[in-house]
Amino acid sequence: MRQTEPVIFELSRPGRSARSQQPAAAQVNIPESLKRRQPPRLPEVSELQAVRHYTRLSQLNFSIDTNFYPLGSCTMKYNPKVCNSLAMLPEFLARHPLAPESTGQGFLSCMYELQGMLEAVTGMKAVSLTPMAGAQGEFAGVAMIRAYHRARGDLQRDEIIVPEAAHGTNPATATMCGMKVREIPCGEDGDVDVAALEAALGPRTAGIMLTNPSTLGVFERRIRDIAAKVHAAGGLLYYDGANLNAILGKVRPGDMGFDVIHMNLHKTFSTPHGGGGPGSGAVGVSERLRPFLPVPVVGRDGGRYRWLDERDLPQTIGRLSGFMGNAGVLLRAYVYMRILGREGMREVAEYSTLNANYLLARLRAIGYEPAYPGRRASHEFIITLQRQAREQGVTAMDFAKRLLDHGYHAPTTYFPLLVPECLLIEPTETEAREELDGFIAAMASLLEEASREPEKLKGAPWTTPVRRLDDVRAARQLDLTWQASPAA
Amino acid sequence: MSQVPADLRYTRSHEWVRQLPDGSVEVGITDHAQAALGDLVFVEVPEGGRTVGSGDAFAVVESVKAASDVYAPIAGEVISGNDALATRPELINEEPYGQGYIARLRPGSAAEIEGLLDAAQYTAHLASEA
Amino acid sequence: MSYIPHTEEDVRLMLETIGADSIEALFDEIPPELKIKELSGIPPALGEMEVARMMHERAARDGRPLNFIGAGAYEHHIPAPVWAITTRGEIYSAYTPYQAEASQGTLQVIYEYQSMMAALTGMEVSNASLYDGASGLAEACLMAVRAHRRSSSSRILIPRTVNPTYRSCVEAIAGTQGLQFVDLPYVRESGRIDLTALDALAGDDVTALVLQQPNFFGQLEDVDALVNWAHERGALVIAVVNPTSLALLKPPGEWGSRGVDIACGEGQPLGVPLSSGGPYFGFLTTRSQHVRQMPGRIVGRTVDLEGRPGFTLTLQAREQHIRRGKATSNICTNQGLLMTAATIYMSLLGPTGLERVAAACMERTGQLVEALTRVPGVRPAFTGARFHEAVLQMDRPVGPVLEGLAARGIVGGLDLSRSHPELGHALLTCATETRTAEDIEHYAASLAEVLRSVQAA
Ligand SMILES: Cc1ncc(COP(=O)(O)O)c(C=O)c1O
């Protein structure tokens, strides 16, 4: 399959258009000094040309609907079609965000119940749905921690502790909140180095950000102890919910001692990733952070749903979006949770863990090296290709690219950075055994190739629409927008 | 093996210093550092006139997969950044000790330069890091 | 009812391979005291049929009132191909294009989008989307502070003609890093920034001036003079613009003698349904010289091993997964799907179509103002040129009037009494190309009826 599709501007011809999409011409008066002089250079194509162009482009992608996508930390599970179709009912799509609450009781009831269900699965006391992705949920969480300390007059707490294996959004968020980042190491077994944590805790500690199971694919066993130590030092605990899939219906972050959590609804609750977004990073809090929740939040006054805003929550950290966040994503998550129900939640954790441990056992049996051999996999696990890199000169990147030739999306590579030449593998609960077996067979053939014909890996991929791309050139000779005659 | 010219001074964080006849110095990153970073795609050099303390982050080098701060090996005033790097960051990969220098500084004190590693000490440092 | 494919036989075989007795045994590293026995607070599972019925009922309860609100989100016609293509599984269920060879479709769409947004705003480079317009402005303010090294104050001027929710959002997101926000008043008659108030700022260090065009009231600001004023005193300018309007109005890249430094805004009007406020997307464009200070993903065109053109994420060293605590932003997941919809929308509309949409909106809003101000007790709040929104003043509180309209199936506009109490009983209202002459007459007639039943102040 070697396809390329011209850039849409190359299909453009002056005077061509999708006529049936245009309203009738209207005469308007605009002051001369405010008028646009040259029409914007947008493509001029027919409707069929546009449809064919974007349909063809879509066919150049891997996606969950077409390929197994074992991308660690991203929870690429099936996105049920019905979640999309029901969130796109015409009444929901047509509703203006500022329309009176009286015309949105159906929508608001879904949001109110969603808040309640998210509280129940996380063991938190209150939820705000407004953050628009995990990273914005993190921002909300750290901003609430900051507001909490300030409200108590505890102004010196300006440090956020993060394990070195943490996702990049954790330290980036701490900085955005005006905090200083203190990184602490992980031990040999993947758990947090408690001695290093104790050394880092002090009167400047605002809080700690943890993922559990961690980004290393293992459950942090001493979490209660860690929580006690952080609380004793006056800090609060933030739970990065990217890995909630692993424990849904089994264990709740609230019971572990966390004060605030974000959930990636686009992971655990199966809303689509859309080639980069949108997501939703709803946040849940313990009682002491409730006053600081970002607004708006849905409340209920005797049978009627309404928005709670700055008047109801005067200590709120404020607004993070123009309206209420990614409402359509939230509707999809709501539908998904209603379909799963109480029983289905637990099955998510159970079968995603079963699939991960099965993959780990089989990959290990054929010669792959787990990064944490003494540990149980959670819903994901890490293998390291350090030996292959040293002995055969093939890297994790080469393995990843070669998998594409087999029709499998690559696992997450080079994250966490802590483990050299790593692949972080997350099969999710919706994959059937045959799919996992096919992946294992492909991984076996890669090991073969690494020792017999390493060039097959180093030159991969061979069958995708393009071969490996020159990203050094991309960064040195920036070509970020189409020009009529692009610089050669 | 990476090159370690005998006439330069070095830091443990892989910068080098060359003393020029007029008392000013040239500063850059070592051959080892450029090889570890890979193909550089962008370099942010310091502006002339800025004063830096020793150990201050005063430049940034970027490859496709990483961005690293470059630390001032000594205190002093920046005379000029190497503007050629703005369009040709690859100079650092090609000639780390020559055209790929990062900036020229007027040192605060000559004694500080004497305190840096010499070529033999830096080579030993590289061996200990490997 | 989950989407689990496993048969009992599968489970048995898999556990055997793992060497575990039961699925529960796989959770043996979790301290037992943490495990919950039963999950309360979650209703029992439903089948697709039951869920569909429930959701149809809830949607029906909300109905489809006739909409006349804008205030940052606008109802436009969305061509059928836009969402038919956007919801194809290959787009909808793909991840962020980190594996470029497996994501050329997504990457090329982003490149086309960047090209279109740069063209529309008259700027040089664009990112691949931010969460929405309001949070995008917060990112633009933080970017301006990074880009403007010589300014030490981190002081941002935000006129009172900027959407007040945007202002709240900027304070919440950028305020934690010590930025200062300074008000600029507007002229009561025109609803535009008071140019004479600028003199009071002489001598103060200003990092950036924010300008919304059309402004929150729908009025058109004298952008040339404002941009030149800011640039003369060494401040950067951040434009907040409505993308539809740019088919008719001078793009921010051409404001004043050298154009603005950063342009941003809400992308929703470009093919994204109102959907109670999201998901939408924020756009952000700038000058080439500031590209390394941009937040968010950026796609570049390059070549593959065989020299054929292809697309990849680039300048990633700005981003959180590489720069961590020193990244330009913490954004990771963005609003890719909505950006895709917008790209298809702009391709289908083209320069002529978008210009017609913009002109139709302007015309309808003019008709709306005319029709509503014929109703006794209603008059325009401002004079001067506007785009597709207008502020009207009433002789009694707006809240009850809007409730009366809602009861008649009309969403009449936004009550400004909380955000702009100085305007008295003021209503912000809007008509886009989707409102017909009959719709407008129906609104006017209903308003007259409601005013007869609601007490005058
Ligand atoms: C561990 C972890 N934390 C945080 C995030 C950030 O979430 P988002 O991309 O939704 O902002 C991710 C997602 O990639 C993640 O894997």
Side-chain angles (χ1 to χ4, degrees), chain A residues 73 133-135 138 167 169 215 240 242 264 266-267, chain C residues 95 332-333:
Chain A
S73 206
E138 291 174 35
H167 194 261
T169 50
T215 54
D240 175 333
N264 297 72
H266 47 303
K267 300 183 181 188
Chain C
Y95 193 68
C332 176
T333 292

Side-chain angles (χ1 to χ4, degrees), chain C residues 102-301:
Chain C
S103 320
Q104 284 298 298
T106 295
L107 288 162
Q108 183 168 335
V109 171
I110 298 174
Y111 179 84
E112 294 180 359
Y113 163 82
Q114 289 173 181
S115 307
M116 292 180 201
M117 288 319 295
L120 198 56
T121 56
M123 304 294 281
E124 286 147 11
V125 290
S126 165
N127 72 4
S129 81
L130 297 169
Y131 301 132
D132 76 349
S135 61
L137 177 59
E139 289 278 14
C141 292
L142 291 168
M143 175 179 160
V145 170
R146 289 192 299 273
H148 199 335
R149 301 236 178 95
R150 279 186 311 275
S151 166
S152 53
S153 66
S154 299
R155 188 178 292 128
I156 312 275
L157 300 186
I158 306 191
R160 295 258 296 145
T161 56
V162 169
N163 184 328
T165 309
Y166 280 39
R167 161 114 189 200
S168 309
C169 193
V170 169
E171 286 175 358
I173 295 173
T176 51
Q177 286 187 57
L179 273 63
Q180 291 179 49
F181 306 103
V182 180
D183 264 348
L184 269 186
Y186 63 92
V187 178
R188 183 59 194 78
E189 291 70 39
S190 68
R192 305 195 304 173
I193 296 171
D194 184 356
L195 294 169
T196 63
L198 298 174
D199 299 339
L201 294 161
D204 293 356
D205 179 76
V206 172
T207 305
L209 165 68
V210 175
L211 281 181
Q212 186 175 359
Q213 176 85 323
N215 72 22
F216 179 62
F217 303 133
Q219 302 291 109
L220 297 181
E221 302 277 8
D222 185 356
V223 286
D224 291 335
L226 287 156
V227 168
N228 287 340
W229 173 85
H231 280 161
E232 275 156 26
R233 18 197 354 282
L236 298 181
V237 179
I238 301 168
V240 180
V241 284
N242 176 313
T244 309
S245 76
L246 294 179
L248 283 178
L249 299 182
K250 193 193 276 186
E254 294 172 17
W255 295 356
S257 37
R258 59 184 173 89
V260 308
D261 304 279
I262 303 171
C264 62
E266 176 55 68
Q268 177 275 331
L270 302 173
V272 178
L274 290 171
S275 186
S276 285
Y280 297 168
F281 71 97
F283 61 85
L284 192 150
T285 61
T286 188
R287 304 279 171 203
S288 300
Q289 74 197 87
H290 299 310
V291 67
R292 283 192 159 75
Q293 300 304 340
M294 269 202 164
R297 299 186 184 121
I298 300 175
V299 167
R301 181 150 72 156

Side-chain angles (χ1 to χ4, degrees), chain A residues 32-152:
Chain A
E32 211 43 50
S33 67
L34 298 176
K35 250 191 205 150
R36 183 160 195 139
R37 288 183 290 263
Q38 290 261 313
R41 201 183 59 197
L42 297 177
E44 297 182 74
V45 295
S46 73
E47 184 161 325
L48 174 58
Q49 283 181 303
V51 167
R52 199 172 277 160
H53 174 73
Y54 290 106
T55 303
R56 282 186 181 162
L57 285 185
S58 79
Q59 291 170 332
L60 305 182
N61 277 353
F62 277 41
S63 68
I64 303 179
D65 282 4
T66 52
N67 307 78
F68 178 43
Y69 224 117
L71 197 61
S73 206
C74 302
T75 313
M76 297 296 280
K77 60 167 96 176
Y78 172 54
N79 307 143
K81 298 292 172 194
V82 69
C83 300
N84 183 53
S85 56
L86 294 178
M88 294 191 78
L89 290 176
E91 294 88 347
F92 289 140
L93 293 187
R95 187 170 179 278
H96 193 284
L98 301 172
E101 286 151 356
S102 60
T103 65
Q105 290 294 302
F107 166 72
L108 288 170
S109 69
C110 298
M111 296 299 103
Y112 184 80
E113 290 170 23
L114 177 60
Q115 287 174 184
M117 289 194 289
L118 294 175
E119 286 162 20
V121 288
T122 58
M124 306 309 283
K125 293 292 180 290
V127 161
S128 167
L129 302 171
T130 66
M132 292 175 282
Q136 213 190 31
E138 291 174 35
F139 180 89
V142 177
M144 283 190 270
I145 290 175
R146 178 178 181 268
Y148 167 81
H149 292 308
R150 290 186 160 228
R152 290 157 46 97

Side-chain angles (χ1 to χ4, degrees), chain A residues 72-75 132-138 165-170 173 211 213-215 238 240-243 262-267 273 276 278-281 380 412 415 424 426, chain C residues 95-96 98 131 297 320 330-334:
Chain A
S73 206
C74 302
T75 313
M132 292 175 282
Q136 213 190 31
E138 291 174 35
H167 194 261
T169 50
N170 293 182
T173 296
T211 315
S214 73
T215 54
Y238 183 89
D240 175 333
N243 292 344
H262 88 258
M263 295 150 263
N264 297 72
L265 302 188
H266 47 303
K267 300 183 181 188
H273 282 80
S280 168
E380 63 187 1
T412 298
F415 171 74
L424 176 59
E426 178 182 8
Chain C
Y95 193 68
T96 301
Y98 287 132
Y131 301 132
R297 299 186 184 121
Q320 48 75 29
N330 67 344
I331 192 168
C332 176
T333 292
N334 60 18

Side-chain angles (χ1 to χ4, degrees), chain A residues 315-440:
Chain A
Q315 286 182 289
T316 171
I317 57 160
R319 288 181 184 262
L320 304 177
S321 65
F323 300 101
M324 65 134 319
N326 284 337
V329 176
L330 297 164
L331 276 174
R332 285 168 176 80
Y334 174 73
V335 172
Y336 178 75
M337 290 185 85
R338 292 302 306 265
I339 290 176
L340 256 53
R342 196 184 301 135
E343 313 83 337
M345 299 287 162
R346 208 178 50 241
E347 286 175 2
V348 165
E350 291 180 346
Y351 289 86
S352 61
T353 303
L354 178 67
N355 277 357
N357 279 281
Y358 174 73
L359 264 192
L360 173 60
R362 299 253 348 242
L363 290 177
R364 198 172 183 168
I366 60 175
Y368 282 97
E369 188 188 334
Y372 297 95
R375 301 294 306 271
R376 189 69 89 183
S378 62
H379 67 317
E380 63 187 1
F381 60 92
I382 302 178
I383 58 176
T384 168
L385 299 163
Q386 222 175 338
R387 185 159 43 84
Q388 286 78 6
R390 203 172 46 236
E391 292 169 9
Q392 288 140 357
V394 288
T395 63
M397 184 61 75
D398 299 329
F399 274 78
K401 298 296 184 198
R402 186 64 175 142
L403 270 173
L404 303 179
D405 286 329
H406 289 267
Y408 297 108
H409 193 277
T412 298
T413 50
Y414 301 102
F415 171 74
L417 277 166
L418 176 66
V419 183
E421 299 300 333
C422 71
L423 295 180
L424 176 59
I425 303 177
E426 178 182 8
T428 83
E429 71 279 8
T430 54
E431 295 298 332
R433 187 166 59 90
E434 299 75 38
E435 195 70 56
L436 304 181
D437 289 344
F439 176 73
I440 292 158

